[in-house]
Amino acid sequence: MDLYGSQTYMKDLEKVADSMPFLDEMRNSSVLVTGATGLICSAVTDLLLWCNESRGAGITVYAAGRSEEGFRRRFGSYCGRRDLVFVPYDTAGQVKFDFKADYIIHGAGNAHPAAISNEPVETMLDNFIGMHGLLQYARQVSSRRVLFISSSEVYGKKNTLEPFAEEEYGYVDLLNARASYPVSKRAAETLCVSYGAEYDVYTVIVRPGHIYGPTASEKDSRVSSAFAYDALSGRDLILKSDGSQIRSYCYVLDCASAIIWTLMRGKSKEAYNISNPSSVMTIREMAEGFAKAGNVSIRFEIPDSKEKSAFNPMNNSSLKSDKLQGIGWRGLFDAGSGTEHTVRIMAEASEKV
């Protein structure tokens, strides 16, 4: 799949780049992006590269990941450019980079349900140890700012339908292996704040809701990613629950702009929810958006025990967006345009392969 062969994707990148007022501050800087081939951070990388092409930003992007083959497969024709450099990186290994990153965006680690369920130990250690190594590196080279991509799962369960504000926390069952993800995200957030307090490392945290878009891998087990690929292929969408769980959904390029916005405008030692207020809905409503985009139907099935063990336990993980909007960010894609663009981009990109 060649995303750069999609006119819709390139127009979406341009639309988002036009909304960012601080590119001059980033001009000729270097940005280290970990997890650079993943759902979220590949879109962040694309957006930074587009700013170079269309705005002459002169940003060098160090795309960190485990597989150079995966890097070349994801970025295709962009590989070989002077402003995009692959950096071998493993969250469990020591950080030994031979360059200085002015900015660090850390998004590496297990994120989709199957990986978390199958590898709870690796999930937990990678989140904390990976963050620690990058904070040490940032302190050594005097990076300007570090952004950690956390998760809405840090909030745990709540008994009301009100969205979570950044200072509210619910219950997480510590004696459940599935908690390896939210617990280690919580710990890594505290580590960021601790480095800020003790060593004056400028750290900011984002807590994305449920992110979807054409940058998702076909192996991604998140339900919105499965919906997108099923809709693209003309298959009916399968819900393994009644779909009543409330989520803050966000189109991936809106998420990417929110990350860069928070990196440049967020206050040190603080966290910001990434949530588009026009896309807070139930899982079933999200499925209906993808079903409409792909002209397919929705079916319900009973999940097996293994599928249940991977589920996000939160019935309500909707997020308040006031704090993010308070620093100037606005989402550009509602649920209707986001789901429609996702399926259209994937179709256009598939035609170019």
Side-chain angles (χ1 to χ4, degrees):
M1 186 176 292
D2 177 18
L3 290 177
Y4 309 126
S6 166
Q7 290 186 356
T8 304
Y9 187 64
M10 303 311 281
K11 287 179 180 178
D12 285 356
L13 284 171
E14 183 174 13
K15 181 178 181 179
V16 173
D18 283 343
S19 73
M20 299 193 303
F22 38 73
L23 290 178
D24 281 345
E25 298 171 38
M26 300 184 74
R27 195 170 300 279
N28 300 322
S29 65
S30 56
V31 183
L32 170 64
V33 182
T34 72
T37 59
L39 167 68
I40 293 175
C41 284
S42 67
V44 171
T45 300
D46 284 341
L47 185 54
L48 292 172
L49 295 176
W50 180 259
C51 290
N52 286 348
E53 285 191 2
S54 63
R55 305 293 183 273
I59 299 168
T60 299
V61 181
Y62 291 99
R66 293 178 179 176
S67 169
E68 185 168 2
E69 179 183 351
F71 164 79
R72 295 189 177 280
R73 184 167 56 248
R74 170 58 180 84
F75 294 105
S77 59
Y78 277 31
C79 296
R81 291 170 41 143
R82 294 180 62 185
D83 58 351
L84 179 62
V85 181
F86 173 73
V87 180
Y89 172 73
D90 189 324
T91 51
Q94 289 187 333
V95 173
K96 294 182 179 180
F97 300 136
D98 60 358
F99 59 87
K100 174 185 175 180
D102 297 310
Y103 301 101
I104 299 171
I105 297 172
H106 182 38
N110 286 341
H112 62 90
I116 296 168
S117 179
N118 293 332
E119 300 178 336
V121 173
E122 290 79 5
T123 295
M124 194 163 193
L125 293 175
D126 286 355
N127 276 333
F128 190 79
I129 294 173
M131 190 71 259
H132 184 224
L134 290 172
L135 288 167
Q136 285 183 310
Y137 164 76
R139 183 186 174 204
Q140 291 166 358
V141 302
S142 300
S143 296
R144 298 177 196 172
R145 298 185 178 204
V146 178
L147 180 142
F148 173 50
I149 301 177
S150 185
S151 169
S152 61
E153 286 200 36
V154 300
Y155 290 115
K157 294 181 181 179
K158 70 185 308 184
N159 296 321
T160 71
L161 298 181
E162 293 298 312
F164 283 99
E166 282 81 356
E167 68 277 7
E168 298 175 333
Y169 300 96
Y171 170 73
V172 174
D173 182 2
L174 303 183
L175 299 183
N176 182 338
R178 179 60 178 76
S180 63
Y181 185 70
V183 168
S184 56
K185 287 289 191 181
R186 283 183 171 186
E189 286 193 17
T190 304
L191 188 64
C192 287
V193 173
S194 299
Y195 261 82
E198 185 171 348
Y199 301 124
D200 202 29
V201 176
Y202 199 112
T203 59
V204 288
I205 298 157
V206 291
R207 296 169 179 161
H210 291 254
I211 311 305
Y212 68 92
T215 55
S217 162
E218 198 163 3
K219 297 178 181 179
D220 190 331
S221 60
R222 279 171 279 213
V223 67
S224 55
S225 300
F227 287 162
Y229 277 97
D230 285 342
L232 175 68
S233 302
R235 296 188 294 264
D236 288 347
L237 310 188
I238 298 175
L239 274 172
K240 298 284 187 174
S241 69
D242 62 6
S244 63
Q245 303 94 326
I246 301 172
R247 304 288 186 246
S248 282
Y249 288 100
C250 187
Y251 181 57
V252 71
L253 288 180
D254 270 342
C255 179
S257 73
I259 286 169
I260 300 173
W261 206 290
T262 306
L263 178 71
M264 300 306 295
R265 291 288 182 265
K267 293 182 180 180
S268 185
K269 303 188 293 293
E270 293 196 14
Y272 296 80
N273 290 335
I274 295 181
S275 174
N276 187 336
S278 67
S279 294
V280 177
M281 66 189 74
T282 66
I283 292 177
R284 178 165 185 166
E285 288 171 330
M286 168 56 63
E288 289 169 349
F290 276 112
K292 180 180 179 181
N295 194 27
V296 296
S297 299
I298 299 173
R299 294 191 289 113
F300 294 85
E301 290 185 1
I302 298 174
D304 60 32
S305 58
K306 185 173 183 180
E307 289 170 329
K308 281 185 177 180
S309 71
F311 286 177
N312 180 339
M314 300 166 68
N315 287 326
N316 172 26
S317 61
S318 59
L319 308 173
K320 287 185 178 180
S321 56
D322 303 35
K323 191 172 180 181
L324 180 62
Q325 293 190 89
I327 59 173
W329 179 85
R330 296 291 184 275
L332 302 180
F333 304 88
D334 62 16
S337 61
T339 51
E340 194 274 328
H341 281 217
T342 296
V343 176
R344 190 201 311 171
I345 290 166
M346 292 167 73
E348 291 174 354
S350 297
E351 290 173 1
K352 302 297 181 180
V353 176

